[in-house]
Amino acid sequence: MIEALILFAILGIFAGLIAGMFGVGGGIITVPFFVAFFIKFGFEEEIIIHMAVGTSLGCIVFTGISSAYAHSKKNAISYNFLKPLASGIVIGAFLGALFAVQLNGNLLKTIIGIFALLIAIQMSVSKDIKLKPRNQTNKEPYFVGSGIGFLSSILGIGGGIFSVPYLKASGLPMTSSVGTSAACGIPIAVFGTLGYLISGVDNILLPPFALGYIYLPAVIGISLTSILAAKYGANIAHHVSEKMLKRMMASMMFLISIYMVFS
């Protein structure tokens, strides 16, 4: 158990840095790692994917809070966008978790991978997408938030793959898009985790130290280091140019697309 906690703590450093830099939850790293770990330690095959995704969301709760707090200190969160998006995310994330436990996600992962590739290409060629200006009566962010929460909860990610491009296209600068996306990851993680906990709480195949589909040692080990690392990731995001940050984001999106399509 001590060895596992150390491995999770090391993983938390990388997940936290990525969360702070790009406004994502770090799940793109933690989910495949959890799959490999759970296979190695003999978890039941039927629950491995659900455990990996649910545990990833549990970790993002703490990583997301740390990352969002670091960005808020730099005034990089747009609450005008955050409030309606978060309202939709709450519903979407919870329903996504309940849906995911019934789902074979290979096709959906491929679709998301293609989407990530398109975003990487768009960012690389610097052809910005522009959306119409939003007014107070525009309900679009509520529906967008629901979709972001739903898909992110299924995949065990913080939603930055969706929310950063959307916020950038809506007119926010890159640093504010990243900061607001980091804040959006909190309701995704909280309500997604709740869904996976409720869905798996009575599953007789669960290993020791699991609460529903949440593996508690992993959440503890990763959270201990990711909370600190996310702050440094946020600082990095505010000390590089927007052009460089976009290139880094595009590179990460490309890696995400490979993972989603071929994992």
Side-chain angles (χ1 to χ4, degrees):
M1 180 59 67
I2 298 299
E3 178 185 356
L5 286 173
I6 293 174
L7 290 174
F8 287 136
I10 295 172
L11 178 64
I13 295 174
F14 294 100
L17 285 173
I18 288 176
M21 288 179 65
F22 301 120
V24 299
I28 199 63
I29 289 181
T30 56
V31 169
F33 180 90
F34 288 150
V35 170
F37 177 87
F38 296 158
I39 290 174
K40 178 180 178 181
F41 283 85
F43 289 9
E44 294 291 338
E45 183 178 351
E46 294 179 26
I47 64 170
I48 284 177
I49 298 298
H50 297 145
M51 286 281 295
V53 175
T55 303
S56 174
L57 289 170
C59 297
I60 292 171
V61 172
F62 302 97
T63 306
I65 291 173
S66 177
S67 176
Y69 177 71
H71 283 289
S72 69
K73 291 175 66 176
K74 298 178 181 297
N75 297 315
I77 296 178
S78 172
Y79 291 95
N80 288 334
F81 280 92
L82 175 62
K83 292 176 182 178
L85 280 174
S87 298
I89 282 171
V90 166
I91 298 172
F94 184 72
L95 293 179
L98 298 181
F99 178 72
V101 297
Q102 312 295 328
L103 182 69
N104 183 321
N106 288 331
L107 176 60
L108 183 59
K109 282 168 57 179
T110 301
I111 294 172
I112 302 305
I114 295 172
F115 175 83
L117 179 60
L118 294 174
I119 294 299
I121 294 173
Q122 183 270 322
M123 286 188 165
S124 298
V125 299
S126 298
K127 296 294 184 181
D128 290 334
I129 301 171
K130 297 293 183 182
L131 300 178
K132 293 181 179 180
R134 183 172 61 87
N135 55 47
Q136 295 297 322
T137 61
N138 191 342
K139 302 301 182 184
E140 174 195 284
Y142 295 95
F143 294 104
V144 172
S146 297
I148 290 174
F150 186 82
L151 294 176
S152 299
S153 186
I154 290 174
L155 295 169
I157 60 178
I161 183 177
F162 306 109
S163 53
V164 170
Y166 172 74
L167 292 166
K168 187 72 173 64
S170 298
L172 289 182
M174 188 63 179
T175 50
S176 294
S177 297
V178 169
T180 307
S181 173
C184 287
I186 298 173
I188 289 174
V190 170
F191 287 90
T193 299
L194 181 62
Y196 280 97
L197 190 156
I198 293 173
S199 298
V201 69
D202 294 325
N203 195 316
I204 61 174
L205 299 178
L206 294 176
F209 308 110
L211 184 61
Y213 289 120
I214 318 300
Y215 189 57
L216 296 179
V219 174
I220 294 171
I222 286 181
S223 299
L224 288 174
T225 53
S226 65
I227 290 174
L228 296 175
K231 297 178 182 178
Y232 289 101
N235 289 332
I236 293 173
H238 288 269
H239 284 86
V240 299
S241 67
E242 179 167 326
K243 184 177 181 180
M244 178 59 69
L245 195 60
K246 285 179 66 176
R247 287 179 177 175
M248 295 169 69
M249 184 74 175
S251 298
M252 193 190 72
M253 288 291 188
F254 180 71
L255 294 176
I256 288 173
S257 71
I258 295 175
Y259 161 68
M260 292 295 186
V261 173
F262 296 107
S263 65

